[in-house]
Amino acid sequence: MNLYYTLIDTPIGQVVACDAMGKLCALEFVDDALLEIVEFVAKAAKLTPKAEETKVLAQTREELTEYFSQTRKKFTIPLLMIGTEFQQSVWNVLLTIPYGRTISYKDESIQLGNEKAIRAVSNANGKNKISIIVPCHRVIGSDGSLTGYAGGLHRKQYLLNLESEQNLLI
């Protein structure tokens, strides 16, 4: 079986999108690490990488374009979140954070039923392979500060600013 991938340009840099079994399994900023990202995901999913745009990857491109043009608040792309049971539970909490809102790592830990698991939750957020769509950028420090983002804090700030604007069409 193949891991299909394609590059997508965004206003904050190029991302690689990966499709495993008809589901988006990775969306990461490239920053000169395309091969490492694809090889990591392919190994984790036990698939052979192939540069080809599938239906899911075309949908990802379209929905990202709409998101960045502020005409989309929710993504409808089928997801395959590859990780441990705990990581997946953390990422599922991320999917519940509404567009334009933020929560703290502590809030996320409380939602998972363990207020003291802040560090583990933060670590799991950092391992999220589906950037933007699984919105780890919406998690901030308890004091309101920007903390950690695999794509860089400048991108996290951009995404939060994009989502906070009021001129949305949908």
Side-chain angles (χ1 to χ4, degrees):
M1 302 239 346
N2 292 319
L3 173 78
Y4 299 99
Y5 68 94
T6 192
L7 293 172
I8 301 171
D9 291 320
T10 78
I12 52 177
Q14 198 170 56
V15 293
V16 60
C18 300
D19 169 352
M21 299 171 276
K23 296 182 179 183
L24 184 70
C25 64
L27 183 68
E28 294 200 74
F29 291 99
V30 176
D31 294 335
D32 300 324
L34 172 63
L35 293 178
E36 290 89 353
I37 295 167
V38 171
E39 287 173 8
F40 175 84
V41 176
K43 184 177 178 182
K46 298 179 180 153
L47 300 171
T48 304
K50 184 174 183 180
E52 183 178 313
E53 186 160 296
T54 64
K55 181 180 174 185
V56 164
L57 298 178
Q59 179 183 357
T60 302
R61 180 184 306 279
E62 180 180 329
E63 290 192 16
L64 279 175
T65 298
E66 293 167 353
Y67 169 82
F68 281 108
S69 66
Q70 296 184 297
T71 58
R72 174 172 293 280
K73 288 184 182 182
K74 292 185 178 189
F75 294 97
T76 62
I77 301 156
L79 303 176
L80 175 64
M81 297 186 290
I82 302 169
T84 67
E85 187 176 322
F86 177 74
Q87 289 169 335
Q88 289 181 28
S89 68
V90 169
W91 302 333
N92 280 318
V93 170
L94 296 175
L95 290 169
T96 69
I97 306 169
Y99 181 100
R101 304 290 295 275
T102 59
I103 65 171
S104 69
Y105 291 99
K106 181 179 179 180
D107 294 335
E108 191 175 8
S109 299
I110 290 169
Q111 286 186 40
L112 287 163
N114 186 353
E115 182 177 345
K116 296 182 191 267
I118 296 171
R119 185 166 288 180
V121 166
S122 174
N123 188 36
N125 280 350
K127 296 202 182 321
N128 171 27
K129 294 291 179 204
I130 308 176
S131 181
I132 303 169
I133 294 169
V134 178
C136 54
H137 63 275
R138 295 180 187 155
V139 183
I140 59 174
S142 293
D143 63 358
S145 64
L146 293 188
T147 57
Y149 187 64
L153 290 181
H154 65 290
R155 289 183 174 129
K156 183 172 188 165
Q157 185 66 66
Y158 182 97
L159 295 169
L160 293 174
N161 289 347
L162 178 77
E163 292 182 8
S164 70
E165 295 185 19
Q166 300 300 314
N167 59 347
L168 302 172
L169 301 176
I170 292 180

